[in-house]
Amino acid sequence: MRKVAVIGAGMTLFRRRMMETGRELSFEATRMALDSAGMEMKEVEGVVMGSAPDAFDGVHMKGEYLLEGAGGINRPYTRVFVGGATGVFVPISAWWHVASGLFDTCLAVAEEKMSPFLPHPQYAFWTIFDHTLERPLGVNLLWIFSLEMRRYMEVHGIREEDIALVSVKNKGNALDHPCSQVAARITVDDVMKSEPICLPVKRLDVSPTSDGAAAVILASEDVAKKYTDEPVWIDGVGWNVDTQYWTNRDLYYPEYLEKAARMAYKMARIENPRKQLDFAEVYDPFDYKELHHLEGLLLAEKGKAAEMTKEGITQRDGDFPVNPSGGLLGVGNPIAAAGMMKVCEVFWQLRGEAGKRQVKKEVKRGLAQAWGDLLQIGTVITMRR
Amino acid sequence: MSVRIKDYPGREVAIEELKERYVAKEYKAVLRYAWSSGVAIGSFLDGLKRGIILGRRCNKCRRILVPPRMYCEQCFRKTDSWVRVKDTGEVKTFSISYVNVDASRRREPIIVAVVELDGASKDVGILHILGEVKPEKVRIGMHVKAVWKKEEERKGAITDILYFKPR
Ligand SMILES: [Zn+2]
């Protein structure tokens, strides 16, 4: 397989409701990525697009709908979809287009416009559940997250207060992100006293619904060097999906994520991820998910991610910064675009372009991860300077 | 954000502004479907109507699957036989939900749980609701029993079990 570099990245503001259409958001993020690479669309050979369930927009064939804004016309264009994990799966897919030798350049765009759905985008998630056994009970996505959170807390004896520290950290980090939707300086007490949603999940444990888009441009080694002196290499990719029968698994640990991580680490020749990686952007739609994922990614021992957080290791100036961007909890959660935002962040951090968000220690290698479907898929990408 | 980029595109709008000026029409989709319950779940639903919970056994890995499948997803072979599991079990995890399916608030919370049924394999549970218990009394590991609808009211649906209550 050939070496593949990221040579440009772009994103829009993340907001609850945007004036721009999905096409316009895709265009803005793509145009910014092209400009940052010093490239024109005609130099891009293939395009991979990612967006979550069509139900949000009420537009079926959303891939085709978004086509023009993503620069997809008259070229090989694909939409990929793996639920919430889509944002990282888009660059993974673009990566294999280039690594295989099929293309020298490939654009990866992720877009989400959740706001059109009324009264609340949450309702659209109802349609992802089993129509015979789960929907008649009135199931919603918040139920299953809170069921997983409770199981995780129970098995390891972790307190809600310890989990809340993640929300405090990420919302704080997001104060330095110019695109952020819900950045704030809050305390553990604020999280604990926030409105109960599905206990143990409270209002400030969860990311918002958002509109937004993000994009990166990938190129083969030869081509990358024509455009930039600072390519960022994608050296590992992995993904793995477990059963949709989420009630038939012990939710305390994401086995599928460990498998995805091991796939990426093997490719990147990473034997000790905690030592060999310098920081990570892990998927944090809820605060406990950051901890759950750190463990699944083998970046913390089982049940120890909360301690790691408490000790300040995951702070931006800590020994192993996690979500220096501010994550989904702070920057926002336009589903597919949120995962892609993490890939953009790793790119900017590795190039030393993250400004006020730049992590304190020198970074050479980073990881981005997303997660989704019915608590069942992990997508992982590792990148290096 | 990159330090090289000064301006990030996008303009936020409020729903009120959209409704006044920009949305041509609100569209309410009424989509109707007739889903097949399938071979395995069809029998499972018939069982519920009779007041019993059915699983499928795989003779190779010896797991008993609930909800039942006609195939074993691990061994990737046909499952072998129907097994009646008990309508009692253990709370594997639970949540106290203050929101409805459309994210609107509930006045009284509903308690939802994954129940590992007695007679099914370890980690094999189903999603259901807990009743006749105060939220603060629910614990993981709590023993529960199904409360069924009256026989004549059962329809062959997951809701033929009203809820699980402590036993
Ligand atoms: Zn089997």
Side-chain angles (χ1 to χ4, degrees):
Chain A
M1 282 182 293
R2 303 197 298 171
K3 282 179 79 172
V4 180
V6 182
I7 60 169
M11 70 182 285
T12 67
L13 302 178
F14 285 3
R15 292 291 183 272
R16 171 68 181 89
R17 179 173 279 104
M18 293 289 248
M19 186 60 220
E20 288 82 356
T21 63
R23 286 174 184 145
E24 289 168 340
L25 290 170
S26 301
F27 169 79
E28 295 288 359
T30 300
R31 190 61 250 176
M32 188 190 290
L34 287 167
D35 290 343
S36 84
M39 227 178 183
E40 281 306 322
M41 201 61 226
K42 63 179 189 308
E43 296 159 81
V44 173
E45 291 178 348
V47 177
V48 181
M49 174 84 216
S51 197
D54 293 355
F56 290 134
D57 305 72
V59 177
H60 283 265
M61 299 211 310
K62 190 155 63 166
E64 291 72 8
Y65 168 73
L66 295 168
L67 173 76
E68 272 196 15
I73 53 159
N74 293 321
R75 44 172 63 78
Y77 170 89
T78 324
R79 174 192 177 189
V80 294
F81 174 63
V82 286
T86 300
V88 170
F89 196 63
V90 177
I92 288 176
S93 175
W95 169 87
W96 78 60
H97 282 70
V98 178
S100 64
L102 190 61
F103 303 136
D104 283 329
T105 53
C106 192
L107 165 69
V109 195
E111 174 276 350
E112 211 68 66
K113 207 169 159 67
M114 300 174 76
S115 64
F117 199 99
L118 302 176
H120 191 282
Q122 190 58 237
Y123 199 5
F125 288 123
W126 187 61
T127 60
I128 71 178
F129 288 94
D130 187 291
H131 47 63
T132 308
L133 300 182
E134 293 174 340
R135 291 194 215 178
L137 299 172
V139 65
N140 65 55
L141 205 57
L142 295 156
W143 282 17
I144 68 171
F145 279 104
S146 55
L147 290 167
E148 187 179 66
M149 177 169 169
R150 173 93 63 190
R151 183 75 199 153
Y152 173 68
M153 289 168 58
E154 171 83 10
V155 169
H156 297 303
I158 295 167
R159 302 178 318 145
E160 287 175 55
E161 288 84 348
D162 298 335
I163 290 173
L165 281 170
V166 173
S167 189
V168 173
K169 167 176 73 72
N170 292 3
K171 285 181 186 294
N173 282 352
L175 289 166
D176 296 323
H177 201 303
C179 300
S180 66
Q181 179 181 346
V182 284
R185 201 165 299 293
I186 58 165
T187 64
V188 167
D189 205 41
D190 292 333
V191 180
M192 294 303 295
K193 286 181 179 154
S194 64
E195 184 184 37
I197 297 181
C198 281
L199 294 176
V201 170
K202 303 162 293 301
R203 173 70 59 201
L204 290 175
D205 290 309
V206 53
S207 59
T209 59
S210 316
D211 291 356
V216 291
I217 295 167
L218 272 49
S220 63
E221 188 170 12
D222 294 352
V223 173
K225 284 180 176 165
K226 282 183 204 156
Y227 287 95
T228 178
D229 297 330
E230 311 164 272
V232 169
W233 305 102
I234 293 177
D235 62 351
V237 302
W239 68 102
N240 198 284
V241 197
D242 206 337
T243 171
Q244 187 103 6
Y245 286 93
W246 59 276
T247 61
N248 281 189
R249 289 186 257 129
D250 193 331
L251 300 175
Y252 92 99
Y253 186 73
E255 292 280 354
Y256 50 89
L257 178 58
E258 182 182 327
K259 292 190 171 104
R262 286 189 186 280
M263 175 177 164
Y265 296 158
K266 190 177 173 196
M267 192 181 297
R269 297 196 177 85
I270 292 172
E271 277 150 25
N272 184 342
R274 176 72 174 74
K275 288 273 175 304
Q276 287 171 270
L277 290 164
D278 299 311
F279 71 105
E281 279 285 327
V282 311
Y283 207 61
D284 61 325
F286 291 67
D287 44 13
Y288 83 94
K289 289 299 322 184
E290 177 171 311
L291 307 177
H292 205 234
H293 289 152
L294 282 171
E295 294 171 21
L297 289 163
L298 309 171
L299 294 168
E301 281 175 45
K302 280 186 186 177
K304 299 288 185 218
E307 258 168 58
M308 196 171 153
T309 307
K310 221 170 171 178
E311 287 163 11
I313 293 169
T314 59
Q315 293 285 340
R316 206 183 267 153
D317 59 0
D319 188 48
F320 192 87
V322 176
N323 291 331
S325 67
L328 280 54
L329 286 163
V331 186
N333 187 7
I335 315 233
M340 181 68 88
M341 175 275 283
K342 291 183 170 291
V343 177
C344 294
E345 181 71 11
V346 174
F347 173 73
W348 289 322
Q349 289 282 351
L350 290 175
R351 298 238 286 202
E353 294 179 14
K356 279 161 80 183
R357 293 192 323 287
Q358 190 67 43
V359 303
K360 206 167 173 190
K361 68 177 197 176
E362 202 203 346
V363 286
K364 290 189 173 142
R365 294 184 99 164
L367 172 147
Q369 175 248 335
W371 167 91
D373 292 336
L374 291 184
L375 319 171
Q376 80 194 100
I377 177 164
T379 49
V380 179
I381 208 164
T382 61
M383 290 156 70
R384 65 183 307 161
R385 274 205 312 231
Chain B
M1 175 205 73
S2 164
V3 284
R4 297 188 192 180
I5 301 166
K6 298 290 167 236
D7 233 12
Y8 287 83
R11 195 193 126 201
E12 189 172 19
V13 287
I15 185 79
E16 295 74 24
E17 190 185 354
L18 266 187
K19 281 186 169 166
E20 273 170 31
R21 294 183 50 203
Y22 302 108
V23 171
K25 192 175 177 184
E26 270 190 44
Y27 167 68
K28 206 168 195 170
V30 182
L31 305 173
R32 299 178 68 228
Y33 296 86
W35 286 302
S36 161
S37 56
V39 179
I41 300 301
S43 297
F44 178 74
L45 298 177
D46 287 344
L48 293 178
K49 202 168 179 180
R50 289 186 285 137
I52 60 171
I53 302 175
L54 291 170
R56 285 285 292 181
R57 180 204 301 276
C58 169
N59 286 348
K60 192 165 180 208
C61 65
R62 302 178 143 197
R63 287 187 312 147
I64 291 167
L65 302 175
V66 187
R69 276 86 95 187
M70 298 312 290
Y71 52 82
C72 173
E73 85 285 4
Q74 301 278 354
C75 307
F76 214 72
R77 60 187 288 279
K78 285 186 176 175
T79 45
D80 298 279
S81 54
W82 289 100
V83 181
R84 183 175 164 178
V85 301
K86 294 194 174 150
D87 70 348
T88 56
E90 220 175 78
V91 172
K92 186 88 175 172
T93 181
F94 67 97
S95 165
I96 298 150
S97 176
Y98 287 85
V99 290
N100 292 308
V101 63
D102 61 356
S104 59
R105 299 290 296 179
R106 300 177 63 91
R107 213 169 286 159
E108 292 298 323
I110 183 173
I111 312 170
V112 301
V114 175
V115 178
E116 208 173 280
L117 295 166
D118 295 329
S121 295
K122 188 182 174 301
D123 294 336
V124 169
I126 62 166
L127 174 69
H128 222 289
I129 291 158
L130 301 185
E132 297 184 40
V133 60
K134 290 215 166 80
E136 58 274 17
K137 295 283 182 203
V138 183
R139 293 286 176 272
I140 287 178
M142 196 168 89
H143 292 277
V144 291
K145 180 172 173 49
V147 175
W148 296 83
K149 274 187 185 164
K150 282 187 212 141
E151 197 170 350
E152 60 275 19
E153 287 170 16
R154 288 185 213 139
K155 292 195 172 104
I158 190 67
T159 46
D160 287 350
I161 296 173
L162 290 166
Y163 50 82
F164 284 79
K165 66 167 187 183
R167 62 183 280 238

